[in-house]
Amino acid sequence: MTTTTHLLHRRRFLPLFCTQLLNAFNDNLYKTAMVLFVVYQVYNDESQEAIFSAVASGLFILPFFVLSALAGQLADMRDKAAIIRTVKMCEIGLMLIGATGLFLAWRGIAVDSFAIPLLMFALFLTGVQSTFLGPIKYAILPQHLKKEEVLAGTGLVEAGTYVAILLGTILAGWIPVEWAAGGIIVTSVIGYISSRQIPSAPPLGKGEEKLDWHILRASITLIKNTMHDRQIFYAILSISFFWTIGAVLFIQFPPLAKNTLMASKEVASLFLVIFSVGVAIGSVSINMLLKGKVSARYSPISVIVMGVFVVAFYLVCRAWAADQPTELLNVAEFIAWPLATVILLCLLGIAIAGGMFVVPLYAFLTTRCAPDEAARTIAANNIVNSGAMVCGSLLAIGLSAIGVPVVEQVLLSAGMCLVSAWLGKRLHNAELEHAE
């Protein structure tokens, strides 16, 4: 029995894994159902749809900026399992709010004046929930798992999260919105029941220390206290730059899929399947390469390989544009089109390499810091990551505003992979120096 399958039979891991999986599934079922319904059933104007999408993204990421410092303090200074149960109980309430918004929008009742603001409010609360659960899902692992199991546990959590995101997103596109409204309530209840089985994880430091409720001061202090360690510093920078690349790619991808590849919504869903499966494969396979040891050894080469696949994707897109279809392709038509297999393989390669790059870095954060500061380290990482994603988004928007074609912007992502490789190499050097 491998370490991975062994963990799935243990109460110290399985309830946490199931709770996180259900949480990611429910978040994406709600977000996707909400966005698809509003964009396709409520609005018929491209500018309104763009504004709605931008506001929705901003509302979801805002709590990570504002509340991550408090979330990190709570997770390190209080029982982590108790916090998970409290947050999951609150999730039932926020999903009731979201389900009400979906139902009202579906019935056409006060859509603009009440239903959509209610949907946005629930989305903001979903971001708050993710902010408080984010530091815990990684910080609790070293407390419940053996040292040689942490990397496998982190890979399983990461892989499970992406699979859950995949399932929630696909299901939201296939079921009626009224079913989604009921589904998010049922899933939140099951998630709470699962969270009740997570073993206690009391604070490892001085116990229940005093919380700093001054959000700005706490955030600045948190980042300063975390980044003084060179290994953690480079790990956070590497992860943040990786998500900057991710933000740029995700912004480029929808218009590129529609206008360059002439892909229908169903084909875009296929792309999402390929990408999510690839990240899951990369997350698990890196544990096999490292044999359970937490190390940044393969991070530089992984992100370079990712950059190579991004360049290959760019070249195939250029070739595709030279023989572009005249109408949007459905799944069967897309797969039958020349170069379709190469496109899918490029996406799979990008995703696998990306998963292999980022998963060891998250395990790095939780094992290299003091045990009683693990959650605060993840919280500091979340703050920096959020800022990096915003910068990546603004960069992509700026390039589009000055007229740089979306296909050409793909090369920017490939170039940024070289910076990530350099940061990964610096991290590995710091790791070797620490070992000596």
Side-chain angles (χ1 to χ4, degrees):
M1 183 181 291
T2 65
T3 302
T4 300
T5 54
H6 168 78
L7 288 176
L8 290 174
H9 291 81
R10 293 294 178 267
R11 181 171 176 258
R12 55 196 170 93
F13 179 78
L14 182 60
L16 173 69
F17 176 75
C18 292
T19 302
Q20 170 58 22
L21 187 146
L22 289 166
N23 189 74
F25 170 82
N26 214 26
D27 281 358
N28 283 274
L29 176 60
Y30 171 67
K31 286 189 294 184
T32 307
M34 180 193 76
V35 170
L36 288 179
F37 184 80
V38 172
V39 168
Y40 287 97
Q41 302 296 326
V42 177
Y43 294 140
N44 286 310
D45 179 81
E46 186 177 344
S47 63
Q48 284 184 307
E49 294 165 7
I51 292 171
F52 173 80
S53 183
V55 172
S57 298
L59 281 175
F60 184 76
I61 201 171
L62 180 61
F64 288 93
F65 279 118
V66 178
L67 298 173
S68 283
L70 179 61
Q73 292 179 77
L74 273 173
D76 276 334
M77 299 176 186
R78 305 292 187 269
D79 189 303
K80 298 176 183 63
I83 296 172
I84 293 174
R85 288 191 286 272
T86 301
V87 172
K88 295 303 291 181
M89 179 177 286
C90 292
E91 182 190 5
I92 298 174
L94 76 88
M95 287 304 170
L96 283 169
I97 295 172
T100 302
L102 288 174
F103 178 79
L104 291 175
W106 170 59
R107 299 295 294 177
I109 301 172
V111 176
D112 290 317
S113 61
F114 186 70
I116 289 181
L118 197 64
L119 290 170
M120 291 295 206
F121 178 58
L123 183 64
F124 173 77
L125 293 179
T126 302
V128 173
Q129 172 190 271
S130 297
T131 300
F132 281 93
L133 286 182
I136 295 176
K137 74 176 181 180
Y138 293 111
I140 200 173
L141 292 178
Q143 199 164 343
H144 282 168
L145 305 183
K146 300 173 184 176
K147 187 175 181 180
E148 63 272 16
E149 296 173 333
V150 172
L151 183 61
T154 303
L156 271 174
V157 168
E158 196 73 8
T161 298
Y162 275 96
V163 171
I165 290 171
L166 168 69
L167 294 175
T169 303
I170 292 176
L171 187 62
W174 281 86
I175 64 175
V177 69
E178 63 271 25
W179 290 17
I184 59 176
I185 296 173
V186 172
T187 306
S188 64
V189 172
I190 297 173
Y192 173 69
I193 294 172
S194 174
S195 71
R196 299 287 304 175
Q197 308 306 312
I198 298 174
S200 176
L204 298 175
K206 301 174 184 177
E208 296 200 358
E209 304 172 49
K210 186 178 179 180
L211 299 174
D212 185 354
W213 292 92
H214 191 297
I215 294 173
L216 179 60
R217 179 180 63 205
S219 298
I220 294 173
T221 301
L222 179 65
I223 294 173
K224 282 183 177 179
N225 291 344
T226 301
M227 301 288 263
H228 69 275
D229 185 291
R230 285 184 69 233
Q231 295 181 84
I232 294 175
F233 173 78
Y234 282 118
I236 289 178
L237 286 185
S238 298
I239 294 170
S240 297
F241 210 85
F242 174 81
W243 285 118
T244 304
I245 299 170
V248 172
L249 282 173
F250 285 134
I251 286 176
Q252 294 162 346
F253 196 71
L256 187 147
K258 179 183 177 182
N259 301 310
T260 301
L261 302 179
M262 298 298 289
S264 65
K265 292 183 296 181
E266 292 78 14
V267 178
S269 295
L270 175 63
F271 292 160
L272 179 62
V273 170
I274 296 294
F275 198 84
S276 299
V277 169
V279 172
I281 293 172
S283 300
V284 174
S285 60
I286 189 63
N287 178 59
M288 298 172 62
L289 279 175
L290 291 172
K291 296 180 172 60
K293 181 182 179 183
V294 177
S295 172
R297 183 192 322 161
Y298 294 111
S299 290
I301 187 63
S302 295
V303 78
I304 287 176
V305 171
M306 178 180 167
V308 170
F309 277 111
V310 172
V311 171
F313 180 74
Y314 161 79
L315 294 174
V316 177
C317 287
R318 289 293 301 269
W320 189 289
D323 185 26
Q324 192 180 57
T326 56
E327 297 180 355
L328 293 181
L329 304 173
N330 61 33
V331 174
E333 292 168 340
F334 176 83
I335 292 176
W337 199 266
L339 296 178
T341 302
V342 182
I343 284 278
L344 296 178
L345 288 175
C346 288
L347 284 174
L348 185 65
I350 292 169
I352 292 175
M356 294 180 69
F357 172 76
V358 79
V359 166
L361 302 185
Y362 277 109
F364 215 96
L365 291 180
T366 58
T367 56
R368 294 298 189 268
C369 64
D372 60 329
E373 295 179 357
R376 276 170 284 189
T377 302
I378 295 295
N381 175 67
N382 287 346
I383 295 172
V384 179
N385 286 180
S386 301
M389 290 172 71
V390 170
C391 291
S393 301
L394 292 175
L395 178 61
I397 292 170
L399 289 173
S400 298
I402 62 175
V404 178
V406 174
V407 175
E408 303 302 325
Q409 292 181 33
V410 172
L411 284 180
L412 171 66
S413 300
M416 293 165 72
C417 287
L418 295 176
V419 180
S420 284
W422 177 75
L423 289 171
K425 180 62 177 174
R426 298 281 294 182
L427 172 59
H428 186 47
N429 289 342
E431 175 191 351
L432 294 177
E433 291 172 9
H434 178 78
E436 291 175 358

